[in-house]
Amino acid sequence: MAGYDLIGDVHGCGATLVTLLEMLGYREQRGVYRHPQRKVIFLGDLIDRGPRIRLAVTVARRMVEEGEAYIVMGNHEHNALAYMHPAPPGSHKRWLREHTPRHNRIMEDTLAQYQDYTNEWDDTLAWFKTLPLFLEIDGIRVVHACWDDRLIEQLKQRLPDGRMDTRFLIESTDPGTQAYRIIDRLTRGANIPLPGGIAIHSGDGYTRQSFRAHFWAANPTRWGDVVFQPDHLPGDLETRLLTENERQRLSYYGPEQPPLFIGHYWCEGIPALPAPNIACLDYSAVKYGRLVAYRWDGETPLNADNFVWVEVIKEERSQANLYGNDFY
């Protein structure tokens, strides 16, 4: 095998995923996209928001099940599992992830597209539960949002293959538990709360009271040293000093560690490496950004020339008509 093609957050852009796979040299054979010398690694977040969620899931799942790809769980797959799972008896809530207006909105497109395929949706949820939270394979590491050595070691001790069981899923929605800390860090990364009364009105229509922080600054001192999201911090908050408590909230991934691939962070513009041994592959595909892959051939450090992408234009929705039910 020549190498791996790592693909960032698809978020239901199924037609664009097919285009990217074909650009990378994969061809559909008996319902599965295959390459004679390479395999794909999906970075999670196949679902939500996009126009062809079922297509995205079907393409990725068939590749994984046929040994043509690997995948890690994203926060949106975890959210779906918690949203659809009843809370345990005696709980004050009905579902592990409460059906609030915000959570309903996140799940809206996925549920609508599976509305007439309830058995398929149930089966898809069962598959989501089998997805590992991280991968270490052939000298590279893969996680959806943040690699934290301490928490990954805790996860290995509890679940050696990195895959959730029902007990872990239930615990992962209870703040203060080990499972919650693991899921939150690996699939959502570190978030630093904004001062009271200040919020970020994001381009995706959500209002947030925290910002996403990265984990490769050796000695950060200010908020601007660690902010990693397309939305700017309000006012002069980038110059605000990190408190000791905020510094302790952050993970750190040093330059001596193996190449790491992440998604999650809604980057914009031309793909670039945030660190010589880290590649983020989420470039806001579903917001008409880019669906990005990195072609890894064993190199250390990583090389920005190995990014490959498809720009997602509004025709993604009309392209959906090209891929009918005969693919499923």
Side-chain angles (χ1 to χ4, degrees):
M1 193 179 70
Y4 293 103
D5 297 312
L6 299 103
I7 296 179
D9 305 32
V10 179
H11 277 304
C13 295
T16 304
L17 173 60
V18 168
T19 299
L20 178 60
L21 287 170
E22 292 178 348
M23 179 184 295
L24 294 169
Y26 292 78
R27 297 292 179 264
E28 189 266 322
Q29 301 172 17
R30 300 182 301 279
V32 180
Y33 279 88
R34 306 174 189 270
H35 192 287
Q37 294 179 299
R38 307 182 67 85
K39 293 185 179 183
V40 164
I41 302 178
F42 294 102
L43 273 62
D45 280 8
L46 298 174
I47 62 170
D48 295 339
R49 300 192 172 108
R52 289 312 301 270
I53 294 166
R54 289 179 58 234
L55 178 62
V57 171
T58 299
V59 169
R61 181 176 178 178
R62 286 187 179 180
M63 292 182 71
V64 171
E65 292 181 338
E66 290 292 321
E68 301 296 330
Y70 299 92
I71 188 171
V72 295
M73 181 182 292
N75 59 301
H76 282 258
E77 284 79 34
H78 176 261
N79 289 346
L81 287 168
Y83 185 93
M84 300 301 297
H85 196 288
S91 175
H92 66 281
K93 56 186 181 180
R94 183 178 177 187
W95 306 95
L96 292 181
R97 183 172 173 85
E98 294 183 276
H99 292 192
T100 64
R102 180 187 180 93
H103 297 164
N104 293 343
R105 180 181 172 190
I106 291 171
M107 288 292 300
E108 180 180 14
D109 291 307
T110 298
L111 294 178
Q113 292 175 45
Y114 279 98
Q115 182 176 2
D116 297 327
Y117 305 91
T118 54
N119 290 339
E120 182 183 333
W121 176 231
D122 290 341
D123 190 55
T124 297
L125 288 169
W127 180 63
F128 286 167
K129 197 172 174 183
T130 70
L131 306 186
L133 290 165
F134 70 94
L135 286 174
E136 293 179 283
I137 183 169
D138 292 338
I140 60 176
R141 291 172 170 173
V142 184
V143 71
H144 181 66
C146 176
W147 189 278
D148 185 299
D149 284 315
R150 180 179 60 86
L151 291 176
I152 286 177
E153 187 57 37
Q154 291 178 15
L155 177 61
K156 287 179 180 178
Q157 292 175 6
R158 181 167 173 177
L159 300 166
D161 62 0
R163 291 173 168 85
M164 295 192 305
D165 54 21
T166 299
R167 180 180 175 184
F168 189 93
L169 173 62
I170 293 171
E171 185 184 326
S172 71
T173 61
D174 181 7
T177 65
Q178 180 195 58
Y180 181 92
R181 290 190 294 273
I182 291 171
I183 284 286
D184 192 55
R185 183 53 53 96
L186 272 56
T187 69
R188 299 181 185 90
N191 289 270
I192 295 179
L194 294 167
I198 296 179
I200 296 173
H201 302 287
S202 180
D204 60 4
Y206 291 90
T207 298
R208 295 180 169 87
Q209 280 75 44
S210 63
F211 70 89
R212 292 177 174 180
H214 69 69
F215 52 94
W216 47 84
N219 294 292
T221 59
R222 302 177 186 274
W223 281 15
D225 295 336
V226 295
V227 63
F228 194 61
Q229 60 182 30
D231 301 305
H232 297 293
L233 294 180
D236 60 354
L237 288 181
E238 289 206 4
T239 64
R240 184 183 176 110
L241 294 175
L242 286 161
T243 67
E244 184 59 32
N245 181 59
E246 289 166 348
R247 286 169 62 93
Q248 291 179 358
R249 293 170 68 99
L250 302 174
S251 304
Y252 176 59
Y253 197 85
E256 76 287 351
Q257 294 189 268
L260 172 66
F261 296 89
I262 58 174
H264 185 64
Y265 291 95
W266 295 94
C267 297
E268 294 179 340
I270 301 297
L273 296 170
N277 61 334
I278 298 175
C280 180
L281 302 181
D282 180 9
Y283 274 78
S284 308
V286 78
K287 295 194 292 183
Y288 305 116
R290 294 171 171 85
L291 184 58
V292 176
Y294 183 97
R295 309 210 82 175
W296 187 73
D297 298 312
E299 69 276 2
T300 303
L302 300 177
N303 184 348
D305 290 339
N306 290 353
F307 285 113
V308 179
W309 64 84
V310 175
E311 294 192 17
V312 184
I313 55 178
K314 293 189 177 181
E315 279 68 20
E316 160 74 23
R317 294 188 181 271
S318 61
Q319 275 183 294
N321 297 325
L322 299 176
Y323 302 94
N325 287 333
D326 57 334
F327 185 84
Y328 293 94

